């Protein structure tokens, strides 16, 4: 078994036993990255830095000073500012932008000894569900439909992260999730991805898309691996006023798959019209697995679910229209030529931003403008409160909620590209929990009719990542998902 | 005092409201730890947050919140336990975020009032609509390069309190009195240094005209009027401009105008149609501000005695006039100086010497009380010499001039120059005898009924004493000896 096929937990064990060195582990991943460069998952590779960090990690371990993630090679979504390393947010606007500071989340990972392999491709400013909006080209999913050469999307916006972890180009990766940007690509790439409760991970140094929704989280190939990573990434940060000052539990202890006595809610309203049979099948299968493991399955109501997508597509663009105003060509980033100030603004932003980002800035500007604010933004905030209340009431009847992660498996590059609404529907199951700030995980549950992975989503109460991990582990144990991407078989 | 403008169609009344932007006295900015020192090299007081680098987040400065609460209490205003920071969105190079974080629907301070002192000695209450916290922008420098605009972000993110008044003022004098009183209150509280020439206090004037008793007219807002003198000049100019338009049958366009300091006029900046749509919405990077229990009470306990309370105390406790009290409390240092001078002395004498002589002298030399060569204890020493008859009031003025010049204390000047009053009756008898002996004919005239000559004798005797004879004693002796 190659070092790149190890789980993160196994790699830590082997490092501890000195069966493998951090340098060997890092070299194996750097080789894998070179082998699958055509996936376009990495925007920047940092091999020298990675090897330097790996050597330092081995030295620490030799002195008995290894941290919880010491020597673990990770990929970092390009939304996280990394000191001295280009950070583009997948946008031409920030081409060649090199931060002088390190995001809190990545700083926490380096504090615990992790090694950075490079920066991962993503939808521009995290806006997208396919990774097609990146200014640096689409990312390819390492999975293929059996008998087809059609290149598939990895999902988005954290498409590079999901593709890299699925293709064994990292033991784990960071992602961010605003409306499903961790959970949907995890499902599309057959790996695990968790968005913790809003406020668990500091947003400081992570480039903002929609501040009230953005939340960082990890990708890995097992539930336990994501628990290990999330523990390092989380924690109160006084530099982020929305960060929550709560102790970070040792979630690995929750990855035992014991769901006996737990009540698992199945939301009636998630059985949407036209949902593919395979999605329904895997969802029912998941419920059955949990029932078999001793959980009680209860039907629940989340009556405002149908308003979640439109609400999200008012709130998120509104915040993004303001958050992205700082990219004006004046202080940093792309500057267009212009004889007047207005021309400078217009050309900088017209050239620097891609079509999807512009679309959302325009939607956001519209919904906040005088005369429309009450009808759109204010109404959306009110509906958002109702959606959050739906969950509060539902959690009186259950301890966690089980749903599909996405309404389909990965689609081909080029599909759905001309219809933004069809693209937005990808987020139909992930967006409600984002609006409510709840923790949600996607776990691979099996392969669909097209031979591609399908994910199940588990949602928990605020700050009950423990419960989420517990149920996720039970699904993982029952699913026994061992399928590998086509790319790795060849 | 409404100041009416006479037009051909009758009298016109001004309706004035002010928005004052007061920089909060604090070491660091509203949402970042960068320093706020005035006059620093450009772009040296700028944090990553102030420059709006990607991924940076605002963190509210708790001290600034306390300062705003304190100010609210000082304005007798409602302090709101819950307030909300919102984003005011617009593009400008000196606004790095592309939005200003401000308070809109839910300000930290609500309705209050300020009592202003008018030149005729009366007072008037001016309503305060609200006070909210907001970030200052940076500064665009258009005069450094023929083609480029330079941007200095030192001010970017500095905490401002915007204090909005009700449209309660009716003349330039009232507006000036309001700004003066507001500035005095802020200085007393230590929440804003009130230095208008350093830009730590700036004014926007809202003005409309109407026939007395008529409904409100259409207003214009005049931006960035940065001294009390300019506030008055801008009001006078704008009032006349509006009256001219109205009397010609025209209509006032609601617009934003700019005070042109050089030409002394207001100029149109943008019309209502060109007004920005600021797209306010609650800042998702910041939670609503909820004041902790006890904060308001704690701030209440730190409030100093404010100008109006002090003024009324001076009138009651020291028996001073409203005018003198008003002058003395205008600045906290001045009031404290006076109280030190007055302690254990004649309060009215102390007030006269502080206001007329000392403040007069400082004013002539363009100095502040802080630079005064005459300290409170030295001025007190001078007054002591007057009160114990060591010197006369007239000599005291001479001594005082010397004190201002040299900074020496009164007693040593009196000693060195031999200015001590002559109170020795023998010496005065001798003086009077000599004057009478030198003017026998005048003595005879006086004794025959020409009373007016008494002044002549006083003058001669005083002159002979070098001005040092105690006036009362001299009068008494002359009366006795000249008596027929």
């Amino acid at each position: 078994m190659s070092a790149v096929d190890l789980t993160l937990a196994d790699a830590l064990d082997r490092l501890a036993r000195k069966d493998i060195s951090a340098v060997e582990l890092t070299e194996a991943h750097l080789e894998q990255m070179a082998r699958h460069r055509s996936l376009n998952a990495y925007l920047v590779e940092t091999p020298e830095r990675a090897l330097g960090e790996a050597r330092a990690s081995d030295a620490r371990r030799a002195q008995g000073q290894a941290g919880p993630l010491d020597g673990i090679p990770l990929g970092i979504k390009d939304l996280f500012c990394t000191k001295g390393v280009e950070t583009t947010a997948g946008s031409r606007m920030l081409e060649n932008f090199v931060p002088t500071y390190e995001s809190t989340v990545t700083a926490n990972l380096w504090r615990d000894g992790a090694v950075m392999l490079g920066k991962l491709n993503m939808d521009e400013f995290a806006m997208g569900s396919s990774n097609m909006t990146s200014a640096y080209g689409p990312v390819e999913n390492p999975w293929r439909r059996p008998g087809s050469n059609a290149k598939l999307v990895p999902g988005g916006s954290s498409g590079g992260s999901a593709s890299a972890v699925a293709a064994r180009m990292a033991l784990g990766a960071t992602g961010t999730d605003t409306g499903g940007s961790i959970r949907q690509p995890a499902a599309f790439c057959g790996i695990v991805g968790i968005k913790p409760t809003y406020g668990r991970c500091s947003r400081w140094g992570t480039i903002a898309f929609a501040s009230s929704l953005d939340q960082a989280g990890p990708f890995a190939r097992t539930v336990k691996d994501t628990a290990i990573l999330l523990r390092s990434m989380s924690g109160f940060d006084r530099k982020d006023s929305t960060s929550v000052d709560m102790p970070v539990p040792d979630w690995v202890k929750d990855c035992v798959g014991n769901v006996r006595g737990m009540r698992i809610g199945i939301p009636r309203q998630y059985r949407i019209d036209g949902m593919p049979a395979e999605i329904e099948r895997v969802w029912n299968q998941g419920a059955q697995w949990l029932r078999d493991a001793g959980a009680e399955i209860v039907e629940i109501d989340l009556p405002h679910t149908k308003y979640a997508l439109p609400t999200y597509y008012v709130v998120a663009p509104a915040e993004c229209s303001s958050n992205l105003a700082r990219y004006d060509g004046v202080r940093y980033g792309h500057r267009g030529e212009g004889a007047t100030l207005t021309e400078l603004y217009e050309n900088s932003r017209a050239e620097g931003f891609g079509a999807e980002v512009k679309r959302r800035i325009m939607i956001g500007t519209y919904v906040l403008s005088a005369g429309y604010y009450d009808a759109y933004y204010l109404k959306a905030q009110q509906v958002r409160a109702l959606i959050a209340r739906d969950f509060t009431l539902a959690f009186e009847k259950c301890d966690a909620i089980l749903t599909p992660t996405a309404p389909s498996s990965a689609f081909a590059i080029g599909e759905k590209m001309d219809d933004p609404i069809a693209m937005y529907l990808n987020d139909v199951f992930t967006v409600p929990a984002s609006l409510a700030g709840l923790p949600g995980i996607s776990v691979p549950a099996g392969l669909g009719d097209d031979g591609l992975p399908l994910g199940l989503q588990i949602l928990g109460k605020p700050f009950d990542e423990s419960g989420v991990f517990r149920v996720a582990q039970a699904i993982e144990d029952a699913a026994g998902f061992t399928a590998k991407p086509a790319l790795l078989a060849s | 005092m409404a100041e009416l403008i006479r037009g051909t169609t009758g009298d016109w009344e001004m309706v004035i409201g002010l928005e004052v932007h007061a920089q909060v006295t604090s070491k660091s900015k509203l949402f970042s730890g960068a320093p706020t020192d005035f006059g620093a090299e450009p772009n040296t007081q700028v944090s990553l947050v102030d420059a709006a680098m990607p991924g940076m987040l605002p963190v509210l400065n708790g001290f600034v919140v306390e300062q705003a609460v304190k100010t609210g209490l000082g304005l007798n205003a409602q302090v709101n336990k819950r307030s909300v920071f919102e984003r005011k969105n617009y593009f400008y190079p000196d606004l790095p975020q592309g939005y200003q974080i401000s308070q809109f629907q839910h300000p930290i301070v609500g309705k209050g009032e300020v009592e202003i002192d008018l030149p005729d000695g009366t007072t008037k209450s001016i309503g305060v609509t609200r006070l909210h916290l907001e970030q200052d922008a940076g500064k665009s420098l258009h005069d450094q390069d023929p083609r480029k605009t330079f941007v200095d972000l030192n001010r970017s993110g500095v905490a401002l309190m915007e204090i909005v008044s009700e449209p309660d003022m009716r003349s330039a004098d009232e507006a000036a009195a309001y700004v003066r009183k507001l500035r005095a209150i802020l200085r007393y509280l230590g929440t804003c240094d009130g230095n208008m020439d350093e830009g730590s206090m700036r004014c926007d004037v809202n003005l409309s005209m109407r026939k007395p008793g008529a409904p409100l007219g259409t207003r214009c807002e005049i931006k960035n009027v940065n001294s009390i003198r300019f506030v008055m000049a801008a009001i006078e100019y704008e009032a006349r401009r509006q009256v001219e338009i109205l009397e010609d049958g025209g209509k006032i366009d609601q617009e934003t105008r700019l005070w042109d300091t050089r030409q002394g006029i207001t100029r149109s900046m943008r019309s209502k149609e060109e007004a920005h749509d600021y797209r306010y919405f609650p800042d998702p990077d910041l939670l609503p501000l909820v004041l902790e229990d006890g904060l308001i009470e704690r701030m209440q306990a730190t409030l100093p005695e404010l100008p109006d309370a002090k003024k009324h105390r001076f009138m009651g406790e020291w028996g001073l006039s409203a005018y003198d009290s008003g002058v003395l409390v205008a600045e906290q240092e001045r009031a404290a100086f006076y109280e030190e001078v007055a302690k254990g002395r004649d309060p009215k004498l102390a007030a006269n010497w502080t206001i007329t002589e000392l403040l007069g002298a400082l004013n002539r030399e363009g100095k502040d009380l802080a630079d005064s060569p005459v300290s409170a204890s030295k001025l007190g020493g001078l007054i002591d010499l007057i009160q114990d008859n060591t010197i006369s009031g007239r000599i005291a003025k001479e001594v005082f001039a010397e004190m201002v010049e040299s900074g020496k204390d009164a007693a040593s000047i009196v000693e060195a120059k031999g200015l001590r009053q002559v109170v020795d009756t023998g010496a005065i008898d001798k003086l009077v005898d000599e004057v009478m002996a030198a003017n026998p004919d005048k003595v005879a005239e006086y004794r025959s009924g020409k009373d007016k000559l008494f002044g002549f004798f006083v003058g001669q005797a005083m002159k002979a004493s070098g001005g040092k004879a105690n006036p009362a004693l001299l009068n008494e002796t002359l009366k006795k000896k000249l008596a027929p």
Side-chain angles (χ1 to χ4, degrees), chain A residues 361-446:
Chain A
I361 289 174
M362 285 190 284
I363 293 171
T365 304
Y366 180 81
V367 300
L368 287 176
S369 52
Y372 299 96
Y373 180 91
D374 289 356
Y376 291 101
Y377 183 78
L378 193 62
K379 184 63 74 182
Q381 291 293 25
Q382 289 163 343
V383 177
R384 183 177 184 177
L386 292 176
I387 289 167
R389 201 188 58 176
D390 279 358
F391 282 105
T392 306
L393 295 175
F395 280 125
E396 289 174 1
K397 299 197 184 87
C398 64
D399 304 305
I401 294 169
L402 181 74
T403 80
T405 306
S408 74
S409 59
F411 46 88
I413 290 176
E415 280 173 22
K416 304 193 187 188
M417 297 305 148
D418 50 354
D419 185 355
I421 303 293
M423 191 65 87
Y424 295 169
L425 280 171
N426 269 290
D427 303 329
V428 66
F429 299 131
T430 48
V431 150
S434 293
L435 290 169
L438 304 175
I441 195 169
S442 178
V443 186

Side-chain angles (χ1 to χ4, degrees), chain A residues 8-26 52-73 111-115 171 228:
Chain A
L8 193 153
D10 286 344
L12 280 172
D13 283 347
R14 292 201 186 195
L15 285 165
R17 291 201 309 266
K18 313 248 163 68
D19 282 355
I20 191 169
S21 69
V23 169
E24 288 165 339
L25 193 59
T26 300
E53 286 173 352
R55 278 191 291 274
S57 169
D58 285 332
R60 278 194 298 274
R61 201 172 285 282
Q63 291 176 342
Q65 293 170 344
L69 286 176
D70 230 300
I72 296 298
R111 173 202 66 205
D112 285 356
V115 168
L171 283 178
I228 294 169

